[in-house]
Amino acid sequence: MRKYSVLIFIIFLISCSNQSRNYSFTKEQVASLHLDSTTILRTESDSAIQVDLNPFLEKEKRFDLGSLIKEIKFVPLETTDESLLDYIMKIVVTDSHIYIMDGLQGGGLAIFDSKGKFIKRISHGSGPGELINLYDIAYDIENEELIAYQHPFLLFFTPSGKFIRQVRLPFGAHNFTTIPGGYLFKTLDRQGNEHLDRFEDYTLLVTDKKFKLKSVGMFNLPTNINYGGYNYLYNNKGNIKVTQTYTDTIYQYLDSTNQLKAKYVINYDDKKLPDHYLKGSYADFRNAINQNNYYYYLGEYLETDAQSIFFLRNNYIKLMTIVYLDKMSGHLIGGTNADYNTKEIPPVGFPNAVWGNYFISPYLPGKNDAQLYNSSLLSDADKDKIRKFKEEDNPILVFFQLKNF
């Protein structure tokens, strides 16, 4: 068993008050958007699945994760002077590579092969192909390109990290992902996008590969609280989910129909943060979440082929609540404390990435690694990897699948 504090959960909260900026765009850039043909996404909500999280809203809610583990495997990330990682902000996995966006110098990008061997770290700086203010990363399967977003540019690299080109975006955004023939961009608010005219209050932007603005969706909800999570776009092999701060609906983007479909609506009304705190001052909001047993949703979400995970924040109890949903049965498990046999399973209950049907949790090597030497779930090869771990090494990525429950 291991507790996970809100303060140390691997998906870090960031202050977004500095994200709304004014950037100048030329007449040519505005014209390239083709706003006269931009449409508003069709949104369907009738078939949304209601997910009741109220039974899990307890300070010391335990859940049995250990009995649900179906498969587990280790990918140690090679440790060198150049590959040392700061806190991990995002993990992108392909068949051949692992891309880590970490907190180094405000946002770094390290590249490993699929077995964890270090390939390179993208240099920091303001020169061609260097990073200075990294917002997000994604992988374009169609064109086999790694893409880094540092506003206002997208930087394109080969899968192994060789710089190809950079392109200036004609708008501001926060997250992005690739879709067939184009991109999805998610903003936090107007992001200096006044030049989008009647579309400036929409936070989901659908473009082609040349950044022509095809469609917009997810109207920006009025709030005075510029405080949110890191990611709002979740792309697992083309299955794309979209979330939004303080909005309790998880949407699916369907590229084939250019449509937003409400997939899940989470309900935690018993202890939900009252809406009026989002329209007041930041001081009132901070006092409310720190001094009252309120829960709130910042859009943190993960999904494999078989299960989904919902994350709720609660600053008062200083613990994260996580709830797993089995898609086949509709059953839920979750809480604040994942129980398992520490001689069988490392601490993986609160993952921060997915790939196919695997959840991915970074695991820091430590003095208790020897407990796993006789695990019945780990392969002999992974047990050999454990014996070589050192406390100062990079995290090990633990890929695990759950049984249906």
Side-chain angles (χ1 to χ4, degrees), residues 17 58 75 96 105 140 153 190 194 205 207 258 307 312 341 348 378:
S17 59
E58 299 176 15
V75 178
S96 57
Q105 298 186 35
D140 185 346
F153 296 101
R190 295 184 177 187
E194 291 85 356
L205 312 179
T207 78
N258 196 36
Q307 286 95 22
L312 288 181
N341 184 346
V348 297
L378 295 179

Side-chain angles (χ1 to χ4, degrees), residues 92-133:
V92 174
V93 178
T94 70
D95 290 336
S96 57
H97 290 83
I98 297 171
Y99 303 103
I100 305 290
M101 178 179 170
D102 68 352
L104 183 67
Q105 298 186 35
L109 176 51
I111 303 174
F112 301 82
D113 71 13
S114 60
K115 295 182 179 180
K117 181 175 177 56
F118 178 64
I119 295 176
K120 72 178 297 183
R121 177 179 282 280
I122 305 300
S123 300
H124 278 83
S126 55
E130 295 182 326
L131 303 176
I132 193 169
N133 187 20

Side-chain angles (χ1 to χ4, degrees), residues 104-165:
L104 183 67
Q105 298 186 35
L109 176 51
I111 303 174
F112 301 82
D113 71 13
S114 60
K115 295 182 179 180
K117 181 175 177 56
F118 178 64
I119 295 176
K120 72 178 297 183
R121 177 179 282 280
I122 305 300
S123 300
H124 278 83
S126 55
E130 295 182 326
L131 303 176
I132 193 169
N133 187 20
L134 185 61
Y135 277 32
D136 201 2
I137 61 172
Y139 188 79
D140 185 346
I141 297 176
E142 279 186 301
N143 297 305
E144 296 186 343
E145 292 176 332
L146 169 66
I147 310 174
Y149 171 44
Q150 55 178 22
H151 191 81
F153 296 101
L154 288 186
L155 282 70
F156 296 80
F157 302 86
T158 66
S160 59
K162 182 180 178 181
F163 178 63
I164 302 172
R165 68 189 183 281

Side-chain angles (χ1 to χ4, degrees), residues 5 9-10 13 18 22 40-41 68 81 89 137 145 172 204 216 221 229 254 256 285-286 289 296-297 308 324 392 395:
S5 166
F9 184 64
I10 197 66
L13 295 181
N18 65 342
N22 291 318
I40 297 175
L41 286 171
L68 297 181
D81 290 342
M89 300 172 66
I137 61 172
E145 292 176 332
L204 186 67
V216 298
L221 300 177
L254 302 172
S256 59
F285 169 80
R286 182 189 60 221
I289 62 175
Y296 57 99
Y297 179 61
S308 297
Y324 288 80
E392 63 272 18

Side-chain angles (χ1 to χ4, degrees), residues 185-370:
F185 293 89
K186 182 70 177 68
T187 74
L188 300 179
D189 48 31
R190 295 184 177 187
Q191 296 263 187
N193 284 336
E194 291 85 356
H195 64 296
L196 298 186
D197 196 23
R198 65 188 184 279
F199 302 122
E200 70 168 312
D201 284 318
Y202 289 90
T203 65
L204 186 67
L205 312 179
V206 185
T207 78
D208 64 13
K209 289 294 186 183
K210 294 184 178 180
F211 312 115
K212 172 186 175 182
L213 188 58
K214 296 169 59 179
S215 301
V216 298
M218 298 187 76
F219 194 81
N220 181 46
L221 300 177
T223 174
N224 294 330
I225 310 303
N226 293 319
Y227 182 61
Y230 170 69
N231 194 36
Y232 301 96
L233 289 172
Y234 302 90
N235 188 347
N236 187 2
K237 296 190 174 182
N239 181 3
I240 299 175
K241 295 298 190 296
V242 189
T243 62
Q244 197 165 17
T245 306
Y246 312 123
T247 302
D248 301 327
T249 302
I250 292 90
Y251 293 92
Q252 182 171 13
Y253 175 72
L254 302 172
D255 178 69
S256 59
T257 57
N258 196 36
Q259 179 185 15
L260 274 179
K261 181 179 180 180
K263 185 67 176 179
Y264 301 109
V265 177
I266 55 175
N267 171 21
Y268 49 103
D269 286 344
D270 287 359
K271 294 181 179 179
K272 184 177 179 179
L273 174 73
D275 288 343
H276 69 264
Y277 285 115
L278 302 176
K279 299 176 182 178
S281 69
Y282 179 76
D284 290 340
F285 169 80
R286 182 189 60 221
N287 290 337
I289 62 175
N290 290 330
Q291 298 176 18
N292 298 277
N293 190 16
Y294 291 142
Y295 290 80
Y296 57 99
Y297 179 61
L298 290 179
E300 292 153 303
Y301 174 80
L302 291 175
E303 177 177 334
T304 66
D305 299 337
Q307 286 95 22
S308 297
I309 305 182
F310 311 93
F311 301 85
L312 288 181
R313 296 278 172 180
N314 188 317
N315 286 41
Y316 182 76
I317 66 174
K318 295 183 174 61
L319 291 172
M320 171 75 74
T321 294
I322 182 173
V323 178
Y324 288 80
L325 164 70
D326 188 275
K327 294 180 184 179
M328 182 177 295
S329 67
H331 294 160
L332 301 169
I333 63 165
T336 57
N337 298 276
D339 286 341
Y340 46 84
N341 184 346
T342 57
K343 295 182 180 179
E344 291 285 322
I345 302 167
V348 297
F350 285 59
N352 78 334
V354 294
W355 184 59
N357 210 28
Y358 288 95
F359 293 106
I360 306 173
S361 288
Y363 166 50
L364 293 173
K367 59 184 179 181
N368 295 323
D369 291 343

